[in-house]
Every structure is written in C-alpha cells, then in structure tokens.
Amino acid sequence: MDAVQFLIADDHELFRRTARSFIESHPNWQVCGEAVDGIEAIEKAKRLRPQVILMDINMPRMTGWRRHELSSGSFPIAT
C-alpha cells in the first residue's frame, strides 16, 4: 500500500514539527512537504500533489480560507 502524502502548511514551526512527528508515527502516512504561508502552500500543493493538506486558516501572505477560495475545485477540501 502506498503511503498517504501530507502537506503541512502553518507559519508556526513548533506546530509543523509536532504535526510531522504525529503524521510520521503512522506507518502508511508520510509528509511530502511543508509551507510557511498560503502562497507557498499553493505552489507546493500544485507541485507535490499531496492527498491531504493540513493548513492553518490564519497565515501570512494568504490565509488558509483565501487559499481554499482560490483553489476551489483544484484540490478536494474537507473542513
């Protein structure tokens, strides 16, 4: 079985580290990338095509909500 790929998008390093540790503790889950703001999250999501994007809704340069509005239809979104 292929690992589920996660992209973590949050401007707080401690949260990203904690989320990465939690995700990687599961045998079939893997972090494929991290982003520190909404714009970087969009760029990495397009390039990496993760199955799950774990995104903060309040980040610099572009909030998670705004990113959701811009990419509606591009990526499946669960809120």
Side-chain angles (χ1 to χ4, degrees), residues 7 10 23 47 50 66 73:
L7 172 64
D10 196 290
I23 291 165
R47 184 169 39 90
R66 182 67 182 134

Side-chain angles (χ1 to χ4, degrees), residues 44-72:
K44 287 192 174 183
K46 287 178 180 177
R47 184 169 39 90
L48 300 172
R49 305 299 295 175
Q51 287 131 324
V52 178
I53 301 172
L54 178 61
M55 179 175 283
D56 185 1
I57 62 168
N58 187 20
M59 289 187 294
R61 293 180 56 196
M62 182 183 300
T63 67
W65 286 120
R66 182 67 182 134
R67 193 216 67 75
H68 170 69
E69 292 169 0
L70 290 175
S71 66
S72 188

Side-chain angles (χ1 to χ4, degrees), residues 8-79:
I8 302 169
D10 196 290
D11 56 320
H12 296 97
E13 183 181 353
L14 179 59
F15 179 82
R16 290 193 316 272
R17 270 191 282 149
T18 303
R20 176 182 282 275
S21 179
F22 174 76
I23 291 165
E24 291 180 345
S25 72
H26 290 76
N28 292 322
W29 293 2
Q30 185 176 45
V31 175
C32 64
E34 295 183 13
V36 298
D37 61 49
I39 293 173
E40 183 181 15
I42 289 174
E43 292 167 356
K44 287 192 174 183
K46 287 178 180 177
R47 184 169 39 90
L48 300 172
R49 305 299 295 175
Q51 287 131 324
V52 178
I53 301 172
L54 178 61
M55 179 175 283
D56 185 1
I57 62 168
N58 187 20
M59 289 187 294
R61 293 180 56 196
M62 182 183 300
T63 67
W65 286 120
R66 182 67 182 134
R67 193 216 67 75
H68 170 69
E69 292 169 0
L70 290 175
S71 66
S72 188
S74 299
F75 305 101
I77 304 289
T79 57

